[in-house]
Amino acid sequence: DTGVSQNPRHKITKRGQNVTFRCDPISEHNRLYWYRQTLGQGPEFLTYFQNEAQLEKSRLLSDRFSAERPKGSFSTLEIQRTEQGDSAMYLCASSRSGGGDEQYFGPGTRLTVT
Amino acid sequence: DQQVKQNSPSLSVQEGRISILNCDYTNSMFDYFLWYKKYPAEGPTFLISISSIKDKNEDGRFTVFLNKSAKHLSLHIVPSQPGDSAVYFCAASKKTGANNLFFGTGTRLTVIP
């Protein structure tokens, strides 16, 4: 059984550098979500894909953030010109379709911007 | 604004007793509710869910109760086991649109052997 996987698990970068994270969802899942979690908070929604189409983006997703899901399978999340405030856990989740289907989360990528 | 609230940051319970975790929400458009469990350095793990057309859903030791009029839900774990010690997140979504989850801030449950 292959669940949701994310790489890398940890990333330390200097302020101003670009970083890219990858998420591989459960294979039969059409929907893929990105969330961000900071200390003491629950995960917050960033964006989601239905197959390869990015259908919604949160206001939390600034212009420095971009996400892709080119073939409707894996997804990447890129942060350009990182800032210290970007330090967080970035979580990916997938689900079969929409309403009523639970989302399954990956282990997350912890980003530290120094 | 926090649309899903977990007002108890922590809870300690003796092994074998009942654990009750509470959650309140403000958005009346939410119609699907979930509980997730999270261990350190791992992503949230789905535990149990409930649709707004129900007021109770049970799965083994876990039962979720929904009171729509009070906009309140609770998770009951009985009997509690040391392995249940984790952070529990309540989440809510709307069945239409993005179905993205709105999470509470979590409750850390400690089950004392």
Side-chain angles (χ1 to χ4, degrees):
Chain A
D1 173 29
T2 54
V4 179
S5 62
Q6 292 186 247
N7 287 290
R9 294 291 307 273
H10 304 276
K11 179 71 177 178
I12 301 174
T13 190
K14 291 186 191 300
R15 188 175 53 192
Q17 298 294 304
N18 299 344
V19 293
T20 300
F21 310 140
R22 175 176 170 131
C23 170
D24 288 88
I26 294 171
S27 57
E28 63 266 27
H29 285 184
N30 297 322
R31 288 204 175 194
L32 186 149
Y33 299 80
W34 285 98
Y35 291 83
R36 181 174 70 185
Q37 184 177 17
T38 54
L39 198 62
Q41 300 297 315
E44 294 176 289
F45 169 71
L46 292 178
T47 188
Y48 95 103
F49 293 83
Q50 172 82 29
N51 298 313
E52 67 275 9
Q54 186 176 18
L55 296 183
E56 190 160 324
K57 292 192 281 189
S58 158
R59 58 180 171 77
L60 293 176
L61 212 67
S62 77
D63 292 345
R64 297 183 296 106
F65 288 69
S66 63
E68 293 182 345
R69 194 182 183 197
K71 296 181 181 178
S73 56
F74 73 92
S75 175
T76 58
L77 178 68
E78 182 184 16
I79 309 174
Q80 296 182 326
R81 305 181 303 282
T82 52
E83 302 173 355
Q84 286 188 321
D86 297 331
S87 296
M89 175 75 84
Y90 289 85
L91 293 161
C92 175
S94 69
S95 70
R96 279 197 185 83
S97 60
D101 283 332
E102 54 267 20
Q103 295 177 22
Y104 292 88
F105 283 80
T109 294
R110 178 164 296 285
L111 173 66
T112 302
V113 182
T114 62
Chain B
D1 63 333
Q2 192 76 25
Q3 299 186 55
V4 178
K5 299 176 185 178
Q6 293 176 259
N7 293 320
S8 298
S10 63
L11 174 68
S12 291
V13 171
Q14 286 290 133
E15 180 179 3
R17 305 296 289 267
I18 185 171
S19 296
I20 300 176
L21 295 95
N22 293 302
C23 177
D24 297 291
Y25 61 96
T26 58
N27 191 334
S28 57
M29 298 297 290
F30 290 147
D31 51 13
Y32 187 57
F33 304 90
L34 309 90
W35 284 93
Y36 284 83
K37 180 166 84 170
K38 188 178 185 304
Y39 293 117
E42 295 183 12
T45 301
F46 170 73
L47 204 53
I48 192 169
S49 63
I50 187 167
S51 167
S52 59
I53 61 173
K54 295 185 174 182
D55 54 18
K56 176 182 174 181
N57 188 26
E58 195 171 347
D59 184 1
R61 296 186 298 114
F62 303 91
T63 303
V64 56
F65 295 92
L66 175 63
N67 182 333
K68 286 191 296 292
S69 61
K71 294 192 177 68
H72 177 84
L73 64 156
S74 60
L75 174 68
H76 292 209
I77 306 173
V78 55
S80 301
Q81 300 173 352
D84 296 329
S85 297
V87 178
Y88 288 77
F89 289 98
C90 170
S93 75
K94 307 167 201 173
K95 281 192 174 178
T96 56
N99 314 121
N100 55 288
L101 298 174
F102 293 82
F103 283 86
T105 51
T107 297
R108 180 177 300 279
L109 173 66
T110 303
V111 180
I112 303 163

